Every structure is written in C-alpha cells, then in structure tokens.
Amino acid sequence: MRTSTIVWIIVIIVVILGGTYWWAASNSANTPLVTDTSQAPMIPAGSSTEPTGTGNAYAPGNLLLGTDATSTLGTYLVASNGMTLYTYANDTSGVSNCSGQCAANWPPYTVASADALANVQSGITGQVGTITRDDGKLQVTYNGMPLYFWANDKAPGDTNGQGVGNVWFVVQP
C-alpha cells in the first residue's frame, strides 16, 4: 500500500472517531443532575429539558438551580430538570409546612446529598441550603425558604402555580 493511501485511511478513521466523540459528549450534557426529583412533575417523552420562557439562561444537566424568565414574571428559579420552583407563604425560614396532600400537589424539591448545593448558576446570589423533612429527605431551600414544584406544571417553562391560593409564588433570584 502506498503511504498516501495509509494517511487517508488514518484521516478518515480520526474524523469518524472525532464525530462519534463529539456526538456522545453533546448528548451527555443533557443528563440531569442526580437528585431526587421522583415526586417532581414528569417531563413528557420527547420534550426539551430546557425552559421555554424568554430568559432561557438555564443550562440543563449540571445545575441544582438555574433561571428562566417571562415578560410577566421576570426572572425566576428552575430546578435541575428545568421545572419552575415555588415557595409557600405558610412556610417559615427553615421549616416546611407542606406535607400529606399538600406535598402531593406541591412536591418538595429534594436532593440525595447536600453536595449538590454547589451546582448553582452564576448570578443566583441568594443562600442555597437544605432542611430535613419529616420523612428524612433533604429539601432544597433558597434564602431559608423550602422549594417546591407544582404538580400541574407539565413542561419546563410552565408557571401555572404562580399565585395559587394567594400563597404559592415563583422564586425570584
């Protein structure tokens, strides 16, 4: 075999392997942060994991907290799965008063370990922490207030829980 033929074969192999590596790396960036969102609203199959609001500053896959924005609500917090986060006016700093049926409608944002707290989008300046719920799970807090999902939000960017009962509100960073 001639040297130029061997060089072209090597170039083709490198291009194929490089393309495969690039494809695998870009798809793994959409793997969600390993947190306990088992009670969070499910994102329908085939849906994007990115919020759909006008801000769309959220980077899926590696953040505990990110942001999205709409023209009516401004910037608000989203979880690692892109879903909107809410606070409950009947909670107090460091205490969740939402359990039972309340927690079924408003699933708490929980994590397996406080180690995930370091993964926060730049520009989110509030204090991120956890509290231990009655069931022993760690619930994420923002400025001391427990964070929740709304069961009726079906896709990233939904903010259907805003103002429900005049006690549920999206979280401004």
Side-chain angles (χ1 to χ4, degrees):
M1 229 185 223
R2 293 183 11 209
T3 303
S4 63
T5 304
I6 293 173
V7 169
W8 277 109
I9 291 172
I10 292 172
V11 167
I12 290 170
I13 291 172
V14 167
V15 168
I16 290 171
L17 292 176
T20 303
Y21 174 79
W22 174 84
W23 177 83
S26 66
N27 283 332
S28 68
N30 291 327
T31 304
L33 176 71
V34 179
T35 61
D36 180 9
T37 57
S38 61
Q39 302 231 356
M42 296 302 294
I43 299 171
S47 295
S48 168
T49 57
E50 294 185 29
T52 56
T54 58
N56 208 16
Y58 177 71
N62 63 345
L63 295 175
L64 174 74
L65 294 176
T67 61
D68 199 2
T70 67
S71 58
T72 55
L73 296 174
T75 303
Y76 57 90
L77 294 182
V78 295
S80 62
N81 60 1
M83 301 300 285
T84 302
L85 292 166
Y86 299 89
T87 55
Y88 182 38
N90 292 337
D91 283 346
T92 57
S93 184
V95 178
S96 170
N97 290 310
C98 180
S99 60
Q101 189 57 47
C102 176
N105 293 329
W106 297 91
Y109 185 21
T110 60
V111 293
S113 164
D115 294 340
L117 299 181
N119 298 324
V120 176
Q121 177 181 313
S122 64
I124 297 176
T125 58
Q127 183 179 5
V128 180
T130 61
I131 59 170
T132 303
R133 294 182 56 80
D134 290 342
D135 61 6
K137 292 184 178 180
L138 292 178
Q139 183 172 3
V140 179
T141 62
Y142 187 71
N143 292 331
M145 297 304 290
L147 300 178
Y148 303 88
F149 299 100
W150 171 227
N152 290 338
D153 282 350
K154 301 300 180 194
D158 286 354
T159 56
N160 300 316
Q162 172 63 17
V164 169
N166 258 351
V167 292
W168 292 97
F169 303 98
V170 298
V171 185
Q172 257 75 42

